[in-house]
Amino acid sequence: GTTITTTFYKNMLREHKELLNIFNQVNQSKGVQPAALATTVLAAAKHIDDMSVLLPHVEQIGHKHRALQIKPEHYPIVGQNLLKAIAEVLGDAATPKVLNAWAAAYDAIADIFIRVEKKMYDEAAWQGWKPFDVVSRKNVASDIVEFTVAPSSGSGIDLANLQLVAGQYITVKTHPTRQNNQYDALRHYSLCSIRTEDGLRFAVKLEQSKDKPVGLVSEYLHKDISIGDILYLSAPAGDFAANRNLIFQNSIPLVLLASGVGVTPVLAMLECQIKNNPKRPVIWIQSSRDESKLAFKTQVDDLLQKCSESKKIVVFTTYQPRIDTEFLRENVPGHADLYICGSLGFMQSMIKHFEDLQHQDDTIHYEPFGPKMATINV
């Protein structure tokens, strides 16, 4: 599957360079996007007689597509190149019968996505890319900046009537000129607050490591964007949201578990919970390399002080053991309502730990910073 989808992306982006303005080339190079597509295609094949079971995954991917402004006219391009990749990789095994079957299957899959995404476009807070003025930027950790942006004059967006959902993200369209980049670069960033009086708030980590170049968009936002500059955003999207049926009850504790910049959406969830029902027990678990990289420390402490019952645990991985099954057994009740966010690696390990603890799937909600289908077993 990943051989086919890797071939597919390589061929499609070579022949349709305009799509380089949409697709995240970092996810391509890391292999996570081809893996996610392979998982999606495999899941569709396994459930071809009843694809309703895939609807939660379709909706999750649909949110990303709507945020990136993927339109119906893009689907035939994808279909043609997927079939070419199947033929190229399978060789003689790609008989006309096999290719015709996959063509029919793809048409069915594409039709489902187009219909789901049409509803999302119709319900979006605004259409297309709208200009926003940067009104504030501040460091909330040594490598994380929180931006506050307000609609530019003439955008037609009224913040007073904008209802934000804790856990969702906005998508920023940029055109960095560093690193010899020639294309638009789109990135999703979780909202770190549901408040709108000053604008929309999101946080960006400067992606860097010793053996890899600095993240293209994070470098641009950290180093080139100042107060007064304009950023283009598509409307908030995403299915990572708190269970509204549990916010107003106090018998099932809320557990918020985050690593690094993954704290951003769960911080908004904590704010939402306290705004609606501060009496619900809250367990806050945050993993960070060290004190300097612990994001939103003051904001978290201020919010937790408003809880009637709360527990806060911080793990510094530089000198403390990483979160494992035994840690979660000791600190997370079996009947908890869990919300987890972090890198793909962090998410995969946390999901495995909770599976080992036999937590029910419907109590575990998560948002990886990367293609979610790469974490799914089908």
Side-chain angles (χ1 to χ4, degrees):
T2 52
T3 303
I4 290 172
T5 51
T6 299
T7 302
F8 152 75
Y9 277 116
K10 180 183 68 176
N11 293 346
M12 182 179 71
L13 295 177
R14 183 182 64 239
E15 296 178 14
H16 295 272
K17 293 192 180 301
E18 73 278 7
L19 296 180
L20 289 167
N21 290 308
I22 297 176
F23 284 94
N24 185 327
Q25 296 178 65
V26 174
N27 286 341
Q28 300 293 328
S29 64
K30 290 181 177 179
V32 290
Q33 190 64 57
L37 178 60
T39 302
T40 305
V41 172
L42 175 60
K46 283 189 173 184
H47 301 283
I48 195 68
D49 291 324
D50 181 16
M51 286 197 286
S52 64
V53 299
L54 297 179
L55 192 56
H57 302 311
V58 171
E59 290 182 341
Q60 185 268 331
I61 297 169
H63 277 288
K64 292 286 179 75
H65 285 177
R66 201 280 298 155
L68 295 169
Q69 302 297 294
I70 300 292
K71 297 295 179 66
E73 56 265 30
H74 292 124
Y75 279 91
I77 298 173
V78 171
Q80 292 164 11
N81 282 277
L82 184 59
L83 290 173
K84 287 180 182 178
I86 291 172
E88 180 179 336
V89 174
L90 295 187
D92 292 342
T95 63
K97 184 176 181 180
V98 168
L99 292 176
N100 288 339
W102 274 110
Y106 177 79
D107 287 345
I109 296 166
D111 183 63
I112 292 172
F113 273 100
I114 290 170
R115 284 190 282 112
V116 167
E117 289 160 18
K118 181 183 185 305
K119 185 172 185 291
M120 292 176 177
Y121 276 105
D122 291 343
E123 295 175 351
W126 64 84
Q127 300 299 316
W129 302 100
K130 295 293 185 181
F132 280 73
D133 301 319
V134 178
V135 297
S136 171
R137 54 168 291 164
K138 61 181 180 182
N139 281 85
V140 293
S142 62
D143 58 349
I144 299 175
V145 172
E146 180 193 55
F147 291 89
T148 303
V149 296
S152 300
S153 176
S155 68
I157 299 172
D158 181 7
L159 284 178
N161 293 319
L162 190 60
Q163 299 295 316
L164 300 182
V165 176
Q168 287 195 319
Y169 53 83
I170 49 84
T171 304
V172 181
K173 181 169 75 169
T174 66
H175 193 96
T177 55
R178 295 173 182 263
Q179 303 183 31
N180 298 317
N181 176 64
Q182 305 174 46
Y183 300 98
D184 290 342
L186 317 182
R187 293 295 185 272
H188 308 299
Y189 295 110
S190 297
L191 294 164
C192 48
S193 175
I194 57 172
R195 294 184 294 118
T196 62
E197 58 268 24
D198 298 320
L200 306 183
R201 295 173 174 82
F202 62 94
V204 180
K205 176 185 176 183
L206 181 62
E207 298 293 344
Q208 55 188 334
S209 65
K210 293 180 181 178
D211 57 344
K212 295 179 182 178
V214 175
L216 176 67
V217 177
S218 66
E219 179 186 42
Y220 171 73
L221 293 172
H222 271 245
K223 298 181 180 180
D224 296 337
I225 292 299
S226 304
I227 294 174
D229 288 339
I230 293 177
L231 293 172
Y232 287 84
L233 275 59
S234 64
D239 61 348
F240 185 52
N243 185 336
R244 298 292 300 179
N245 295 326
L246 298 181
I247 286 179
F248 295 98
Q249 61 75 54
N250 301 322
S251 60
I252 300 178
L254 172 66
V255 177
L256 302 172
L257 170 58
S259 172
V261 75
V263 67
T264 49
V266 296
L267 177 65
M269 288 182 176
L270 176 61
E271 183 184 84
C272 178
Q273 179 62 57
I274 292 169
K275 176 183 177 181
N276 288 284
N277 177 20
K279 295 183 179 180
R280 185 185 186 188
V282 173
I283 299 172
W284 177 273
I285 304 173
Q286 189 172 356
S287 175
S288 176
R289 287 190 60 193
D290 54 44
E291 187 86 30
S292 70
K293 290 181 168 52
L294 183 66
F296 295 105
K297 180 181 184 301
T298 301
Q299 292 92 325
V300 170
D301 288 342
D302 289 346
L303 287 169
L304 290 176
Q305 286 181 0
K306 299 175 182 177
C307 288
S308 299
E309 181 181 346
S310 68
K311 178 181 180 181
K312 178 186 177 186
I313 305 170
V314 177
V315 176
F316 294 117
T317 58
T318 300
Y319 54 87
Q320 291 179 300
R322 293 179 182 273
I323 297 171
D324 58 14
T325 303
E326 194 55 39
F327 173 96
L328 296 173
R329 189 195 314 275
E330 293 175 1
N331 293 290
V332 178
H335 64 296
D337 187 26
L338 306 169
Y339 296 86
I340 316 170
C341 189
S343 67
L344 280 172
F346 176 78
M347 293 304 317
Q348 288 167 331
S349 63
M350 292 303 107
I351 292 168
K352 177 63 168 62
H353 295 324
F354 282 114
E355 285 176 351
D356 292 341
L357 293 171
Q358 298 184 332
H359 272 264
Q360 305 224 348
D361 288 346
D362 60 357
T363 68
I364 303 172
H365 316 275
Y366 65 97
E367 178 84 330
F369 283 167
K372 193 171 185 177
M373 287 303 290
T375 68
I376 301 294
N377 293 318
V378 297

